[in-house]
Amino acid sequence: MDSCIFCSIINKKIETIIVAENEQAIAINDIFPKAPTHILIIPKKHIINMTDISAKNSDVIAQMALMVKELSQQHPQFNLVCNNGPEVGQTVMHLHWHFLAGTDIFKKLF
Ligand code: 5GP
Ligand code: ZN
């Protein structure tokens, strides 16, 4: 999708260092990190968020999960966050999981 920042990164219209890649997903460092390690796991297909997942495209979730596993080899302790919808903080309307390591981001919450 033309107006989507993550599609532009995936289509290499915007130059970004890709920290991991598989058939259906990429991982990039967040531009405004909220933890010492803050990586975004993004499907290559333009899927809006988890509400946009169906039996037809759910294979992408397995690929994203495999990427979590790959990143966990370097960062075995981490938080995985998905803001699903603008009212709970989703600002980029292309599905992504935040992989956060190196601090307890939920210290005050849980
Ligand atoms: P959300 O708020 O939608 O859950 O997360 C969007 C994330 O994307 C934010 O943490 C924001 O810092 C990050 N982000 C927005 N634009 C860019 C960009 O152009 N490059 C990178 N690497 N991250 C971005
Ligand atoms: Zn997109």
Side-chain angles (χ1 to χ4, degrees):
M1 184 185 271
D2 273 359
S3 60
C4 172
I5 189 91
F6 289 170
C7 282
S8 298
I9 288 170
I10 288 152
N11 297 330
K12 310 219 184 306
K13 286 183 189 145
I14 295 175
E15 207 178 316
T16 309
I17 295 167
I18 293 175
V19 299
E21 180 165 11
N22 62 26
E23 208 182 307
Q24 297 201 52
I26 61 163
I28 61 170
N29 288 312
D30 196 291
I31 204 167
F32 299 121
K34 279 105 189 157
T37 297
H38 186 171
I39 295 169
L40 300 172
I41 299 168
I42 307 170
K44 291 180 181 176
K45 273 184 213 155
H46 184 84
I47 292 167
I48 296 166
N49 58 27
M50 292 302 292
T51 310
D52 203 17
I53 293 293
S54 68
K56 283 189 179 163
N57 61 13
S58 61
D59 51 332
V60 85
I61 299 299
Q63 295 264 315
M64 291 170 76
L66 287 170
M67 193 160 277
V68 171
K69 168 69 192 264
E70 186 183 333
L71 297 174
S72 76
Q73 280 157 9
Q74 262 199 303
H75 307 283
Q77 302 193 50
F78 59 87
N79 296 106
L80 197 59
V81 174
C82 177
N83 296 323
N84 199 80
E87 286 178 21
V88 295
Q90 184 176 6
T91 57
V92 178
M93 299 310 287
H94 179 135
L95 175 64
H96 51 284
W97 293 347
H98 297 259
F99 180 101
L100 300 130
T103 190
D104 178 1
I105 57 155
F106 289 122
K107 202 178 285 175
K108 293 194 179 90
L109 275 177
F110 293 100

